[in-house]
Amino acid sequence: MPGAGSNRRALPLRAAAERGGGREEIHGARTVAEAEEIRVGAAADFDALDRAAPRLNARAPGAFLCALGTTIAVAGSRDAFARVDRDYIAATARLARQAGATHGALVSSVSANPRSMNFYLRTKGEAEERVRAVGFTRLDIARPGMLLGMRERPRLAEQISAPLLRALSPLMQGPLSKYRAIDAGLVAAALVARLGEAQPGVFIAHHRDLV
């Protein structure tokens, strides 16, 4: 999606990460510029997404961008975490595809792998697999390291580690560069910019691709 003036439509999905619940806002926009300006949307129940289908179908989105995520601590259990970070993501992607979106964009995690022994990374990898299976003509997946920036619910571990990671980032060279911490705003901007790309396929973006 080139941006303002485009006749395609974008369907951005705000992250429910820090709210830890099953309700969040799903927005439909006619252009990327409009999507960036939207601040208030209709609440959607992630356990009953079919109810949102008529509204999304009316928007006829050309693209889907998802930054949904939570933590086990906020969700309350591993099962609840997986429901948000895997199941809700896959369900909204299917909904967007059914509404006409051909371009998908997803914020995942560095080292995401559906066969990982690490539960978090395995869940992120499974989410990627399910979104791939939806059938977008083009899918951009961002795999950032720790995301830096303001959160509605500050995480103590991140507050402690963020300054250290910022200091160490310049020392992470070569294969280690993908583990660098990165501002969440840079990841969002990179994915929005990729909505203008037309080449089909699945594209993975690590730190160096996002800055």
Side-chain angles (χ1 to χ4, degrees):
M1 181 173 305
S6 167
N7 60 7
R8 296 182 65 195
R9 300 184 178 198
L11 170 62
L13 173 62
R14 281 187 175 180
E18 306 311 324
R19 305 195 180 182
R23 295 181 68 82
E24 187 47 83
E25 294 174 359
I26 295 181
H27 303 307
R30 293 179 177 82
T31 66
V32 170
E34 181 181 336
E36 293 171 339
E37 293 173 359
I38 292 177
R39 291 294 179 270
V40 179
D45 184 343
F46 277 75
D47 291 315
L49 279 175
D50 287 347
R51 298 175 186 172
R55 185 169 71 254
L56 299 185
N57 290 338
R59 285 286 188 176
F64 165 80
L65 194 160
C66 181
L68 187 65
T70 187
T71 65
I72 295 176
V74 171
S77 69
R78 284 190 170 195
D79 286 345
F81 169 81
R83 186 164 63 250
V84 173
D85 274 52
R86 182 192 61 210
D87 301 345
Y88 288 167
I89 287 174
T92 50
R94 286 193 297 271
L95 200 65
R97 183 70 189 89
Q98 291 167 5
T102 57
H103 191 156
L106 172 67
V107 179
S108 183
S109 171
V110 64
S111 298
N113 187 328
R115 288 165 291 283
S116 174
M117 296 297 290
N118 179 283
F119 174 76
Y120 175 85
L121 298 178
R122 184 170 67 252
T123 301
K124 289 295 188 180
E126 290 170 349
E128 289 186 10
E129 271 195 334
R130 294 190 185 189
V131 174
R132 285 176 187 241
V134 165
F136 290 111
T137 302
R138 178 185 174 103
L139 175 62
D140 285 282
I141 299 175
R143 288 184 181 170
M146 177 181 283
L147 293 175
L148 303 173
M150 298 298 293
R151 295 184 183 273
E152 290 185 14
R153 295 183 184 179
R155 301 172 184 173
L156 180 59
E158 292 182 2
Q159 288 179 311
I160 295 173
S161 61
L164 178 61
L165 286 174
R166 284 186 186 276
L168 291 177
S169 284
L171 303 178
M172 296 179 180
Q173 301 293 331
L176 294 178
S177 64
K178 65 182 180 181
Y179 296 102
R180 291 178 178 178
I182 184 171
D183 286 310
L186 290 176
V187 178
L191 283 183
V192 169
R194 280 165 171 72
L195 294 181
E197 300 293 335
Q199 182 179 356
V202 178
F203 300 86
I204 307 296
H206 288 103
H207 185 278
R208 67 181 180 181
D209 308 305
L210 299 170
V211 295

